[in-house]
């Protein structure tokens, strides 16, 4: 069960978080997710996620002159990311507060 | 300063990319290749690409979903598969029901005969209801656009079966000797019949791809193709169970027609029926799908 706790690292969420500051192309997303979030996405997973997010309108492609097409997060994507982030923050705050009350855990 | 030329994706990665649907490759293929040139294409990457190709087929992203093309492709596939299965059904009828094989104590075979007859009738009806309006629309379209080649492909659906019937009737009229109409003649007519069915169905299928008609006739044909595929698959299943029952319980059947032939028939029927059902199902799903925004 402990190994499954890393499911917070849902690939669509990671891609949305990666695109939250600026548009990025596929390789830049992979690198950003690896370096800032510590998760290694594979090319197959990344493009499955990009296709799904684009299909539901959470990200959109930008015009590009080369083959590395950048993507940007849409308004709907920002709203979805904000909502999910708030939910995760509530869970994290609750977990930390309870750990602190019961075990005196002061956080990492 | 020119840097080193990036290595393209390896042969396995290119192969894995080929597993994706054409619409997916057209949209994302170049991007993925560019990504692989930068990120490399090791075994994990290749495996992830190959595995992710399955959902790309089963549940394609909606923005890549060309409903019209999907419906036309399903109609064409089901038409060819349906022709082959009805041909196989005709052979089955000739070798079993018309030979009067009975299996006392095993009513399953008789039930399978009944299900086979009813399902085949439903599939023929569905094929006619869905196929004739679309065929007429395509003939009209081809004539309006003066597309003679497509018109020829379309008329193959009528001319080839008519030619086959003419050849068969002429041969039977010329050859009066009843002994001559034995198994070799039957095998000859069967092979010729499958070739005729293949040509007769391939003609409209090619015209469908080239003319790319739209409108309600395509949607009706796609829905009817789904029904026809399901019905003919049921008929195929019933015939397969009946043939298996005859092989197991009616020794005269297996002895007369060779069990290997019957098992070969089963394999072919299952393969074609699966193709028809899957393609028909995808066409029906496209028919009733809500268009992407």
């Amino acid at each position: 069960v402990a190994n499954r706790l890393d499911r917070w690292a849902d690939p669509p969420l990671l891609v949305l978080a990666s695109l939250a500051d600026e548009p990025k192309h596929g390789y830049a997303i992979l690198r950003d997710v690896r370096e800032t979030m510590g998760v290694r996405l594979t090319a197959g997973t990344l493009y499955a996620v990009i296709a799904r997010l684009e299909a539901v309108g959470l990200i959109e492609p930008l015009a590009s002159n080369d083959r590395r097409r950048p993507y940007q997060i849409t308004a709907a994507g920002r709203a979805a990311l904000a909502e999910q982030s708030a939910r995760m923050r509530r869970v994290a705050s609750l977990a930390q507060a309870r750990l602190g009350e019961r075990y005196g855990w002061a956080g990492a | 300063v020119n840097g080193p030329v990036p290595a393209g994706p390896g042969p396995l990665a290119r192969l894995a990319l080929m597993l994706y649907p054409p619409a997916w490759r057209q949209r994302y293929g170049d991007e993925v290749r560019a990504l692989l040139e930068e990120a490399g294409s090791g075994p994990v990457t290749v495996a992830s690409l190959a595995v992710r190709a399955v959902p790309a087929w089963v549940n394609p992203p909606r923005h890549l979903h060309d409903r019209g093309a999907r419906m036309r492709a399903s109609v064409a596939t089901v038409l060819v598969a349906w022709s082959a299965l009805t041909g196989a059904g005709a052979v089955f009828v000739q070798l079993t029901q018309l030979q009067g094989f009975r299996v006392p104590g095993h009513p399953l075979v008789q039930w399978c005969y009944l299900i086979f007859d009813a399902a085949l009738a439903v599939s023929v009806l569905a094929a006619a209801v869905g196929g004739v309006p679309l065929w007429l629309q395509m003939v009209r379209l081809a004539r309006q656009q003066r597309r003679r080649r497509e018109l020829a492909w379309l008329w193959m659906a009528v001319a080839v079966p008519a030619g086959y019937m003419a050849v068969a009737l002429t041969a039977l009229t010329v050859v009066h000797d009843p002994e001559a109409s034995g198994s070799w003649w039957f095998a000859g007519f069967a092979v010729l019949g499958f070739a005729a069915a293949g040509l007769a169905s391939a003609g409209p299928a090619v015209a469908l791809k080239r003319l790319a008609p739209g409108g309600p006739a395509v949607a009706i044909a796609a829905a009817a193709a789904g029904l026809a595929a399901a019905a003919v698959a049921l008929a195929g299943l019933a015939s397969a169970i009946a043939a298996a029952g005859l092989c197991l319980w009616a020794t005269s059947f297996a002895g007369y027609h060779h069990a290997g032939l019957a098992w070969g028939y089963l394999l072919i029927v299952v393969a074609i029926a699966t193709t028809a059902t899957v393609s028909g199902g995808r066409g029906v799903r496209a028919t009733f799908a809500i268009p992407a925004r």
Side-chain angles (χ1 to χ4, degrees), chain B residues 146-232:
Chain B
R146 299 179 186 283
R147 308 269 290 265
R148 288 182 182 173
R149 198 170 288 175
E150 282 72 22
L151 211 51
W153 282 114
L154 284 166
W155 278 104
M156 278 173 67
V158 177
V160 173
Y164 172 73
M165 291 304 290
V167 168
L169 289 174
T170 306
L172 286 175
T173 309
V174 171
V175 182
H176 292 292
D177 184 4
E179 291 297 314
S181 57
S183 58
W184 284 108
W185 276 94
F186 176 74
F189 280 127
V191 169
L192 202 60
F194 276 111
L199 279 174
S201 58
V206 170
L208 193 59
K209 187 175 171 60
R210 291 188 177 183
L211 290 169
V218 178
I220 292 169
L227 177 62
V232 83

Side-chain angles (χ1 to χ4, degrees), chain A residues 62-76:
Chain A
L62 296 175
S64 170
N65 288 330
D66 70 6
R67 296 183 301 158
R68 304 189 307 170
R69 188 195 301 265
Y71 291 87
Q72 72 177 5
I73 191 166
T74 62

Side-chain angles (χ1 to χ4, degrees), chain A residues 29-40:
Chain A
I29 297 172
L30 278 191
R31 207 174 48 200
D32 182 52
V33 168
R34 188 179 66 232
E35 290 172 358
T36 62
M37 304 172 215
V39 178
R40 282 179 183 274

Side-chain angles (χ1 to χ4, degrees), chain A residues 83-108:
Chain A
E83 187 184 335
Q84 182 61 13
S85 301
R87 194 179 299 142
M88 290 167 69
R89 195 182 309 119
R90 282 197 299 275
V91 173
S93 300
L94 184 72
Q96 288 180 355
R98 288 181 177 177
L99 282 170
E101 286 167 15
R102 179 75 176 81
Y103 301 102
W105 185 77

Side-chain angles (χ1 to χ4, degrees), chain A residues 11 25-28 30-31 42-52 54-57 61 67-71, chain B residues 20 24 27-28 30-39 44-45 48-49 52 55-56 59-64 293:
Chain A
H25 55 70
Y27 181 59
L30 278 191
R31 207 174 48 200
T42 57
T45 302
L46 175 66
Y47 270 89
V49 169
I50 284 177
R52 296 289 164 203
E54 190 186 346
V56 295
R67 296 183 301 158
R68 304 189 307 170
R69 188 195 301 265
Y71 291 87
Chain B
Y20 283 79
W24 198 100
R27 172 66 185 80
Y28 296 109
D30 278 349
E31 290 178 47
V32 176
R33 274 188 284 275
L35 170 68
L36 296 177
E37 284 169 8
E38 290 187 282
V44 175
T45 302
S48 84
L49 280 172
R52 294 287 181 169
N59 189 19
R62 282 178 62 188
H63 66 299
L64 299 181
R293 281 177 297 151

